[in-house]
Structure formats: C-alpha cells, structure tokens
Amino acid sequence: MTSRRLSYVLQQQVHLYVPEANELRDEIDYYVEAERQIETELARRQIRA
C-alpha cells in the first residue's frame, strides 16, 4: 500500500475536528510529497539509463 493510499484511509478513519488529526494529516502530506518526489527522481533516472 502506498503512502498516498494509506493517507486516504487514515483521513477517513481520523475524526476531522481532533487537533491531533490535523497534525497527522500534515505529517502524511509531508510523506506523500516526499514519495512523489522520489518517484519522479527514480523515473528521471530510468529515462537516462
């Protein structure tokens, strides 16, 4: 399961108004963005190879 898919699942499970939920969503967003950047870089390297 990718972190993107996991983020959608977690966001559905965590109550929207709990302050910790906002922190969790921010953390998930950070990891989702990092994963996207890694995928982009790996794809770029494969094109060069």
Side-chain angles (χ1 to χ4, degrees):
M1 179 180 297
T2 66
S3 59
R4 283 185 208 128
R5 176 72 185 129
L6 181 60
S7 74
Y8 299 135
V9 171
L10 286 173
Q11 286 179 22
Q12 291 169 359
Q13 300 296 321
V14 177
H15 195 274
L16 293 175
Y17 301 105
V18 177
E20 292 83 6
N22 292 329
E23 294 172 17
L24 182 60
R25 277 195 290 274
D26 288 344
E27 229 176 288
I28 291 168
D29 288 345
Y30 172 81
Y31 285 111
V32 169
E33 176 61 21
E35 183 180 53
R36 188 192 63 76
Q37 290 179 9
I38 290 168
E39 288 171 350
T40 301
E41 178 63 19
L42 289 174
R44 187 179 65 82
R45 289 182 185 192
Q46 282 183 340
I47 291 170
R48 284 187 178 176

